[in-house]
Amino acid sequence: MGADDDAESFRLRILAYGLTAWHENTGSLARLSIDPLPHQIHLVHQILKSGNLNWLVADDVGLGKTVEVGMLISALKQRGVCRRILLVTPPGLVRQWKEEMHEKFGLSDFRIYGEDFTVRTARDWKLYDHVIGSMDTLKHESHLANVMQSGAWDLIVFDEAHRLSRSQFGMKLESSERYQLARRLRDMTESVLLLSATPHQGKQDKFQALLELIRPTRRDEIRMLSLNPQLLAEMVIRNNKADVIDASGNYIFQGKVTRVVSVPAQPEAEVFDKALQAYLRKGYAAGAQISGANGRAVGFVMTVYRKLAASSVAAIEGALERRLNRIRDPQMPAPEAGMQECPDDRYLGEWEERSADTGKEFFAGEIALLSTTLELARALKKNDGKLAAFIYELLRQVFEANPAEKVLIFTEYRATQDYIAAALRGHKGDGSVSLIHGGMNPDERGAAIAHFEAQGQFLISTEAGAEGINLQRHCHVMVNYDLPWNPMRLVQRVGRLYRYGQKQKVVVFNLHAPQTFDAQILETLYSRINQVVADMAQVGNEFREGLREDILGQVADMVDVDDILQEAITAGGARTNARIDEALRNACEATSKQQELLGHASGFDAKSAMGELALTKEHVRAFVIGMCRKLGITVTAELHSGNVLELVLPDEICQELKRRASHLRIAFERSMPGATASAEVIDINSPLFRLLLRKAKAISGGGLYAPIAGLNADAAIAFMLYWQTDAGNRMREEFAVALVSDNGSARLNPDELTHWMLQDQQSSRGVPERECAERLLSQAEAAADERLAKISSEGLHPEGVSLVACASLAGDLRARQTEKYANSAINQQSE
């Protein structure tokens, strides 16, 4: 390399070191299908630079916790410090985790325990270093015994960690089987990461139990958390939707609007509802007269019937018909689920629908009353005002703006799902409708989503789809055909669309049938929730829409509706309204306490990265183009605004890449359908990118020392800085460039440097004298030492500094002597 190339060599060398360190600190160059957001980069960086991998990540729903984990794992693997990883998830999410790790990060070695493999002896575990397991599978004794033989793990991640519950009653602790699983696994690793959007849930004892899982050695401090809530900044990271921005500083979420579509009053509906309420009152009264489990079973059936009636006339008609037939024929097969516990709360509605039955009459005259009520239901179904309002009023509004609009529809019950599906198929054709429910396996669910996104128009889902399906890229309209009794379920439904990647305002339609008794109560409850949330989202004179969504999820998670609705059947309207007000007061008080407590958690702070070299994807592109020029790689075309390049590789590069073809298309983004289909995406897994990084770091001679121009300093000196843990393991590293002047000033990683690195450089003339060069290098070393000391903490200690490259911006005095001195100093530092 000639002297005329020294400045460009210096730029490319420091870019190579900077980009490598950037990925090792953030995972940002992992094989992503989306660009990582600032809060995701910050979260990974904060965990890595803390010197401790034990954290509770409490980001809001839809902020990409899966992406954050993938970035973290990618960064750890780049450092070579994370070989064995165990991901523990809810049952319905194991396949999704496997797919996302493969598709977004190229982490294709993950296998699902009990599905992709089983183990018979401890030796079998040596074959599996990347494992995903369902928490409800692993908690059972036989499986737990297996996993306890698996050996040490470098990292264990628990998704939906709020399901790991432990409660305190006086001095007694009562742990769920899931928490016991987590506690046993905790002994098999030094690093546990918990993920939960709702870690507190208004229950301090359960929240503290989660903190004890990640930091068991600080148990005494955690139990005194109320006296020292600042402790959370060292254990919990929380990002809110209201605060999340993109790389340009713009708020991510476009907002959400909710509209209520009321069903017109209908005489048939009022007559049926009165008959049903009469039947329910008699049923509840009969159950109250029966002691023990049999009495509770009667109450359970009545409650389920109320929910079915609030959902659709088809759902309650089917339930009443099954009830009548079973009383008349006690030999009919028993319900498939009986009164046993629902195995997965996402499928609660479907489980209730199957379970609400028993063979005996609940009270004298039940058959007659059932028969009358059933006939009224059949009459109403022939002229169902709710279904008509849905198809001819609600969908008409939607399709007026866009006839091809895709619509996500939620209901709790399979009977309602089938009813809506039949109506929509008759209205729009068989191919327009896809379904998701608890009876589908992961492949069937995936096929339903793919059909909806490709050519379908309606996706009808039970609560089985309220978690784990992400539809924000193809849909922004949602309909709640029924309102769930648990308000948190509504928040989770909306979260399928209101999440990162949604480019439009989310529109939510709630169908409301005011003449139905329980629908009236639910509508009152939800309108009150919306009002108190709006009040809490008022900050000074400003209403913050994003903050409203954050608070809504917290309040909804703390409102217990069951007792209110149970009492409503016998209490008057005034008493029911009073109970709603009481429940909301308690929820708002718990939410306020949770907000106050979690306000001490860490979160995204743009200022926290001050002092670090700020690199972006633009630096990746600048580096690749610069290295192509240096290595004789010809850029024959720039497509899609420069995001796709057509290259011709020299024979030498083809040989090193083991390629036969010299023509190569590369892309800097994945989010361009068609454009990247045949392209090699430039990320940390790209063979070409790895080759360019390796060659840039190998630049020597003029690449280590160069006269440059364009920066306000006398010299630019680049270092790698390292920190280690108490055990001597390297935990943090940074790449830094000091701009130093002979007047004694030293600036580390200033903004002007990041802009300078984006431009091709040409060498200037001259270097400082030896004595000046000595002073400049000394100043740069002092700045590096100061950075080492500043970042050090109780568990993170300075390890050392390695000199990477030097450049001069001074005059041409004794150039040869100073060049010799600078290169000699670098060689000594390296040794």
Side-chain angles (χ1 to χ4, degrees):
M1 299 178 187
D4 292 340
D5 197 39
D6 289 351
E8 181 68 352
S9 296
F10 174 80
R11 182 182 77 98
L12 295 172
R13 180 177 169 85
I14 65 173
L15 268 173
Y17 276 92
L19 290 171
T20 302
W22 181 44
H23 177 68
E24 291 185 1
N25 286 332
T26 67
S28 299
L29 291 178
R31 192 178 73 177
L32 288 168
S33 61
I34 58 173
D35 291 328
L37 292 166
H39 78 275
Q40 295 169 332
I41 294 173
H42 171 269
L43 181 143
V44 175
H45 194 14
Q46 180 172 348
I47 290 175
L48 290 171
K49 72 183 184 182
S50 71
N52 194 319
L53 297 180
N54 295 282
W55 287 84
L56 167 59
V57 176
D59 283 4
D60 272 346
V61 174
L63 292 189
K65 288 187 284 292
T66 309
V67 170
E68 290 164 348
V69 171
M71 289 168 63
L72 177 64
I73 292 173
S74 183
L76 290 170
K77 284 190 166 296
Q78 182 71 13
R79 295 183 177 194
V81 296
C82 194
R83 185 176 66 87
R84 303 197 73 216
I85 305 162
L86 174 62
L87 306 178
V88 184
T89 80
L93 299 183
V94 288
R95 181 68 67 89
Q96 180 180 326
W97 270 92
K98 179 180 178 180
E99 291 172 354
E100 292 207 17
M101 291 297 102
H102 164 68
E103 293 172 2
K104 292 183 177 179
F105 301 97
L107 298 170
S108 305
D109 294 334
F110 276 101
R111 297 291 179 266
I112 299 173
Y113 172 82
E115 183 175 324
D116 294 333
F117 76 97
T118 56
V119 294
R120 291 183 175 85
T121 67
R123 290 177 299 181
D124 294 341
W125 281 105
K126 294 180 180 179
L127 302 173
Y128 306 103
D129 289 335
H130 294 72
V131 175
I132 305 174
S134 157
M135 59 177 64
D136 286 347
T137 297
L138 297 180
K139 74 181 183 182
H140 291 297
E141 191 57 42
S142 60
H143 295 294
L144 182 57
N146 268 338
V147 80
M148 294 305 293
Q149 301 180 65
S150 62
W153 298 90
D154 296 313
L155 177 67
I156 298 180
V157 180
F158 288 90
D159 189 21
E160 302 288 345
H162 52 272
R163 299 180 183 223
L164 312 173
S165 61
R166 188 192 72 186
S167 302
Q168 183 168 353
F169 303 95
M171 299 299 292
K172 182 181 178 182
L173 297 175
E174 186 173 300
S175 300
S176 66
E177 289 183 333
R178 292 169 178 168
Y179 189 87
Q180 293 174 29
L181 163 69
R183 188 66 193 85
R184 297 281 298 276
L185 291 178
R186 184 66 180 90
D187 294 333
M188 303 177 67
T189 183
E190 294 183 357
S191 302
V192 166
L193 195 67
L194 303 183
L195 314 177
S196 173
T198 55
H200 192 281
Q201 300 180 300
K203 301 174 178 67
Q204 185 84 340
D205 54 343
K206 293 184 178 181
F207 181 57
Q208 291 179 351
L210 294 179
L211 297 181
E212 286 184 23
L213 282 176
I214 56 173
R215 305 289 177 89
T217 59
R218 306 186 72 169
R219 183 176 292 109
D220 292 341
E221 294 175 82
I222 291 169
R223 291 180 179 177
M224 302 296 288
L225 185 62
S226 58
L227 299 179
N228 183 26
Q230 293 80 9
L231 184 66
L232 292 183
E234 304 171 28
M235 301 181 181
V236 182
I237 301 176
R238 181 173 180 82
N239 291 299
N240 298 312
K241 278 181 175 152
D243 304 319
V244 171
I245 58 174
D246 61 19
S248 301
N250 302 311
Y251 286 106
I252 292 293
F253 292 94
Q254 302 302 312
K256 173 178 74 73
V257 60
T258 301
R259 299 173 183 169
V260 176
V261 177
S262 292
V263 177
Q266 191 178 9
E268 297 98 320
E270 293 180 8
V271 171
F272 166 70
D273 191 60
K274 287 181 181 178
L276 180 64
Q277 299 308 317
Y279 172 76
L280 293 173
R281 280 192 291 272
K282 282 185 173 289
Y284 275 122
Q289 299 299 315
I290 304 172
S291 61
N294 290 334
R296 291 193 298 274
V298 176
F300 169 75
V301 172
M302 295 299 108
T303 299
V304 172
Y305 285 177
R306 292 170 64 188
K307 293 182 179 181
L308 292 169
S311 177
S312 72
V313 64
I316 186 61
E317 178 208 26
L320 295 176
E321 185 173 32
R322 287 192 299 274
R323 171 79 187 137
L324 184 60
N325 291 337
R326 185 157 174 76
I327 297 174
R328 287 172 172 169
D329 182 9
Q331 302 304 314
M332 284 181 62
E336 95 181 63
M339 283 294 294
Q340 298 174 3
E341 181 183 358
C342 177
D344 189 325
D345 55 10
R346 292 174 303 150
Y347 308 145
L348 179 61
E350 297 178 57
W351 174 81
E352 289 176 336
E353 197 173 8
R354 298 193 306 269
S355 303
D357 202 0
T358 183
K360 299 178 181 179
E361 272 193 295
F362 294 149
F363 52 85
E366 182 184 3
I367 290 179
L369 190 51
L370 261 177
S371 299
T372 300
T373 307
L374 180 57
E375 287 304 315
L376 292 172
R378 288 169 175 164
L380 175 60
K381 187 179 175 183
K382 293 177 181 178
N383 183 27
D384 183 1
K386 184 175 183 180
L387 185 65
F390 167 62
I391 292 179
Y392 299 110
E393 175 62 26
L394 191 159
L395 292 183
R396 180 185 59 79
Q397 292 182 39
V398 172
F399 296 143
E400 275 180 356
N402 179 10
E405 193 75 73
K406 293 182 183 291
V407 183
L408 172 63
I409 304 160
F410 270 107
T411 174
E412 284 202 83
Y413 301 105
R414 291 279 291 276
T416 301
Q417 183 186 51
D418 293 340
Y419 183 51
I420 301 169
L424 289 176
R425 285 171 178 143
H427 192 62
K428 287 281 188 176
D430 287 346
S432 65
V433 179
S434 301
L435 304 180
I436 288 181
H437 53 71
M440 301 170 73
N441 62 40
D443 290 334
E444 291 169 331
R445 284 164 57 104
I449 293 170
H451 178 268
F452 171 64
E453 293 182 336
Q455 65 259 34
Q457 190 160 19
F458 305 99
L459 178 61
I460 311 172
S461 178
T462 65
E463 300 297 349
E467 295 179 57
I469 64 170
N470 304 323
L471 304 170
Q472 69 275 16
R473 299 191 183 280
H474 297 86
C475 179
H476 73 108
V477 177
M478 191 183 91
V479 176
N480 291 301
Y481 197 88
D482 51 33
L483 291 173
W485 279 33
N486 180 350
M488 191 58 195
R489 281 288 174 202
L490 187 59
V491 174
Q492 289 163 338
R493 290 178 178 184
V494 175
R496 301 311 95 213
L497 303 182
Y498 193 56
R499 58 196 306 112
Y500 173 60
Q502 179 61 257
K503 302 300 184 184
Q504 303 184 66
K505 185 182 289 290
V506 172
V507 182
V508 179
F509 292 95
N510 293 333
L511 268 173
H512 172 47
Q515 64 268 43
T516 304
F517 176 75
D518 285 319
Q520 291 177 20
I521 298 173
L522 286 172
E523 176 60 27
T524 299
L525 174 68
Y526 279 106
S527 64
R528 299 276 183 88
I529 288 176
N530 287 331
Q531 183 57 55
V532 299
V533 167
D535 292 342
M536 293 179 74
Q538 193 80 23
V539 180
N541 295 322
E542 178 188 1
F543 174 75
R544 295 183 62 192
E545 175 64 31
L547 183 59
R548 179 192 182 282
E549 293 305 312
D550 298 338
I551 296 173
L552 177 61
Q554 297 174 51
V555 171
D557 196 44
M558 297 178 194
V559 176
D560 188 352
V561 185
D562 278 352
D563 288 344
I564 298 171
L565 288 167
Q566 293 284 14
E567 187 177 334
I569 196 72
T570 55
R575 174 58 183 161
T576 300
N577 288 335
R579 285 297 308 275
I580 290 175
D581 290 340
E582 178 186 1
L584 287 177
R585 280 196 302 273
N586 293 337
C588 290
E589 182 179 348
T591 298
S592 296
K593 289 180 179 178
Q594 173 172 285
Q595 285 184 307
E596 181 180 357
L597 183 62
L598 292 180
H600 295 282
S602 294
F604 174 65
D605 179 7
K607 296 180 180 179
S608 67
M610 290 180 64
E612 298 181 42
L613 191 63
L615 298 181
T616 67
K617 63 182 181 182
E618 296 303 320
H619 290 89
V620 176
R621 187 177 186 279
F623 170 74
V624 170
I625 291 177
M627 286 300 295
C628 285
R629 187 179 299 112
K630 179 172 283 295
L631 298 176
I633 299 173
T634 305
V635 179
T636 59
E638 295 191 22
L639 310 172
H640 300 279
S641 301
N643 284 310
V644 176
L645 304 181
E646 300 277 2
L647 307 180
V648 177
L649 308 178
D651 291 343
E652 178 187 350
I653 300 298
C654 287
Q655 291 173 7
E656 291 192 57
L657 292 175
K658 298 180 180 180
R659 287 180 56 90
R660 292 184 178 179
S662 60
H663 290 269
L664 176 65
R665 168 182 281 201
I666 64 171
F668 295 101
E669 294 184 12
R670 289 183 180 275
S671 55
M672 295 177 293
T676 59
S678 59
E680 177 179 303
V681 179
I682 296 299
D683 55 36
I684 204 66
N685 297 305
S686 159
L688 176 63
F689 190 54
R690 291 199 301 268
L691 175 70
L692 298 183
L693 288 173
R694 186 169 67 250
K695 285 187 172 294
K697 291 178 183 179
I699 292 174
S700 59
L704 285 173
Y705 174 81
I708 63 175
L711 291 171
N712 184 24
D714 290 323
I717 302 175
F719 301 94
M720 287 298 303
L721 290 73
Y722 304 106
W723 291 261
Q724 61 186 8
T725 63
D726 292 332
N729 299 319
R730 181 174 294 172
M731 180 53 71
R732 176 171 179 163
E733 57 186 53
E734 285 183 8
F735 177 72
V737 180
L739 295 189
V740 291
S741 300
D742 199 27
N743 62 10
S745 67
R747 294 175 296 143
L748 212 60
N749 301 329
D751 289 342
E752 67 174 292
L753 176 68
T754 61
H755 297 306
W756 182 89
M757 293 166 73
L758 290 171
Q759 308 300 323
D760 296 342
Q761 299 298 323
Q762 293 183 348
S763 295
S764 64
R765 293 185 177 182
V767 291
E769 294 180 330
R770 179 188 177 99
E771 292 181 2
C772 179
E774 289 178 345
R775 290 195 301 271
L776 294 174
L777 184 58
S778 178
Q779 289 167 212
E781 290 174 335
D785 288 339
E786 183 179 347
R787 178 68 180 172
L788 277 175
K790 181 179 179 180
I791 298 302
S792 298
S793 62
E794 182 178 346
L796 203 62
H797 313 293
E799 179 184 342
V801 176
S802 175
L803 200 54
V804 171
C806 294
S808 164
L809 294 110
D812 60 346
L813 297 177
R814 302 176 70 179
R816 288 178 177 271
Q817 187 177 15
T818 310
E819 176 177 350
K820 182 178 179 181
Y821 165 77
N823 285 326
S824 175
I826 290 172
N827 292 333
Q828 291 174 13
Q829 290 277 352
S830 300
E831 291 172 2

